[in-house]
Structures are given as C-alpha cells and as structure tokens.
Amino acid sequence: MAKCDICGKGVTFGIKVSHSHRRTNRTWKPNVKRVKAIVKGTPCHIYACSRCLRSGKVERAN
C-alpha cells in the first residue's frame, strides 16, 4: 500500500547502523495519503504522496 499511484514512489531499503556499528535492515516509507481525486474525468480514491499533492500533479475532488 505504501506506493504513490501518480509517480510510483515506494518503499526503499537500507541498513541501520548503531553506535556500536551493528548493522540491521530498515525501510523508509513514503508519505502516502488516500485522497479523492479526479482520474479520467471521474472522482475516485487514489494513494498519492505528499510531493505529488504539493506540486499540483493531483486534481482534488470534493
């Protein structure tokens, strides 16, 4: 679910390094919101990241 329907931004993976340099896996999730938007002329719910919402790539429906 943590994937933007507009730009395709999803979960990224990396390694968490503690002070003693023990390494464990971790994830970064995008800031995805469920919004009501106009897609192909009809309003429907989509998942959009905050960057797409802020830049105006999503036309919101009321």
Side-chain angles (χ1 to χ4, degrees), residues 14-17 22-26:
I15 296 175
K16 177 171 60 175
V17 182
R22 291 179 64 92
R23 296 155 64 90
T24 56
N25 295 331
R26 65 155 294 178

Side-chain angles (χ1 to χ4, degrees), residues 8-25:
K9 181 189 285 188
V11 177
T12 57
F13 299 94
I15 296 175
K16 177 171 60 175
V17 182
S18 69
H19 179 69
S20 62
H21 211 72
R22 291 179 64 92
R23 296 155 64 90
T24 56
N25 295 331

Side-chain angles (χ1 to χ4, degrees), residues 2 12 15-16 20-22 26 31 34-35 38 41 45 48 53-54 56 62:
T12 57
I15 296 175
K16 177 171 60 175
S20 62
H21 211 72
R22 291 179 64 92
R26 65 155 294 178
N31 189 4
R34 185 174 186 254
V35 295
I38 296 177
H45 287 284
L53 292 172
R54 195 175 57 209
N62 291 339

Side-chain angles (χ1 to χ4, degrees), residues 22-52:
R22 291 179 64 92
R23 296 155 64 90
T24 56
N25 295 331
R26 65 155 294 178
T27 59
W28 284 272
K29 293 182 181 176
N31 189 4
V32 174
K33 305 291 182 189
R34 185 174 186 254
V35 295
K36 194 174 182 182
I38 296 177
V39 179
K40 297 179 185 173
T42 59
C44 62
H45 287 284
I46 62 169
Y47 291 100
C49 66
S50 60
R51 179 167 291 195
C52 290

Side-chain angles (χ1 to χ4, degrees), residues 6-7 38 46 51-60:
I6 305 299
C7 65
I38 296 177
I46 62 169
R51 179 167 291 195
C52 290
L53 292 172
R54 195 175 57 209
S55 65
K57 292 182 182 178
V58 179
E59 185 179 352
R60 300 288 293 262

